[in-house]
Amino acid sequence: NAGVTQTPKFQVLKTGQSMTLQCAQDMNHEYMSWYRQDPGMGLRLIHYSVGAGITDQGEVPNGYNVSRSTTEDFPLRLLSAAPSQTSVYFCASRGADWNTEAFFGQGTRLTVV
Amino acid sequence: GENVEQHPSTLSVQEGDSAVIKCTYSDSASNYFPWYKQELGKRPQLIIDIRSNVGEKKDQRIAVTLNKTAKHFSLHITETQPEDSAVYFCAAMGGSYIPTFGRGTSLIVHP
């Protein structure tokens, strides 16, 4: 049972480039979300999804797009990378019950130069 | 939306001492409060959680308390050990089904 799998683990981009961070879960979880982690700022919600075909914005959505075509996959797209998007990105998923934990992927460390 | 405040941002203790991390939340509809531990370079992982119908929960050296009236909850670690050194996050979850996290507490346990 792989849980939540993120790829890649590390990435360096040039300003203006675009890329997609992949996230897949094999637990049949309804809810998936993307967070960015910056020093002293905790885990800030970028986008989330409550099921296939349904997405919504979190606290810091600008510069990012998401889609949820299947229950398993929830990719995060950077449209035109900026140095301010240098961060560690975590994908998380959880089941539909109100009192279940969220499981995190291993994270993607992104550097934009 | 939900807002979670967490204090302190850094906590330094001697091995064997107790550590307490406190969080407050704003949405009275929140009913599930997990705590995550993140070791350096690793993903956050759940260490304990508490539901709104419970005031306290204990698991070996860690315990959580919840005061729904005051909208605050706390993590207590007793007999701290160097391997407890990590960043700890509190979170609150309610109608949105997506957890809102505090900013984290860096716990340093000196041997």
Side-chain angles (χ1 to χ4, degrees):
Chain A
N1 191 342
V4 181
T5 303
Q6 277 182 247
T7 56
K9 290 189 70 175
F10 301 96
Q11 183 71 50
V12 178
L13 287 179
K14 293 183 179 179
T15 298
Q17 285 186 317
S18 62
M19 78 159 295
T20 299
L21 278 62
Q22 301 292 343
C23 176
Q25 52 93 7
D26 61 1
M27 297 172 282
N28 201 32
H29 283 170
E30 296 284 343
Y31 304 109
M32 297 186 74
S33 49
W34 277 101
Y35 295 87
R36 60 176 289 172
Q37 184 175 22
D38 303 291
M41 300 299 291
L43 294 158
R44 293 185 292 170
L45 183 66
I46 305 171
H47 286 285
Y48 66 97
S49 169
V50 299
I54 307 169
T55 63
D56 206 347
Q57 297 180 350
E59 180 186 356
V60 288
N62 291 342
Y64 308 94
N65 271 356
V66 291
S67 59
R68 184 95 179 271
S69 56
T70 66
T71 299
E72 295 77 21
D73 300 298
F74 191 44
L76 178 72
R77 296 182 188 85
L78 279 70
L79 309 173
S80 177
S84 60
Q85 294 179 303
T86 293
S87 187
V88 179
Y89 293 84
F90 286 99
C91 176
S93 75
R94 61 179 291 271
D97 291 337
W98 65 272
N99 58 357
T100 57
E101 68 177 283
F103 292 87
F104 285 84
Q106 68 266 47
T108 296
R109 182 173 293 275
L110 176 69
T111 303
V112 183
V113 298
Chain B
E2 177 66 275
N3 182 48
V4 177
E5 300 283 341
Q6 182 173 348
H7 299 280
S9 57
T10 305
L11 181 57
S12 183
V13 300
Q14 288 295 129
E15 183 177 359
D17 286 350
S18 294
V20 180
I21 302 170
K22 299 182 178 182
C23 291
T24 61
Y25 62 99
S26 61
D27 188 351
S28 56
S30 289
N31 49 21
Y32 175 61
F33 306 91
W35 286 87
Y36 286 80
K37 177 183 180 181
Q38 185 182 29
E39 297 176 345
L40 190 63
K42 302 285 184 64
R43 73 189 81 188
Q45 291 193 296
L46 182 79
I47 54 171
I48 195 167
D49 56 15
I50 191 166
R51 293 158 178 79
S52 59
N53 58 348
V54 175
E56 184 173 356
K57 181 178 179 180
K58 191 173 182 180
D59 183 4
Q60 299 184 340
R61 295 186 299 106
I62 60 174
V64 290
T65 59
L66 171 65
N67 183 328
K68 284 218 74 178
T69 302
K71 296 202 193 82
H72 65 72
F73 55 114
S74 301
L75 176 71
H76 305 253
I77 306 174
T78 58
E79 300 172 24
T80 54
Q81 302 168 1
E83 52 265 37
D84 294 329
S85 296
V87 178
Y88 292 81
F89 292 99
C90 63
M93 200 152 58
S96 72
Y97 300 101
I98 302 293
T100 298
F101 288 87
R103 292 194 171 191
T105 296
S106 178
L107 174 64
I108 304 164
V109 181
H110 300 279

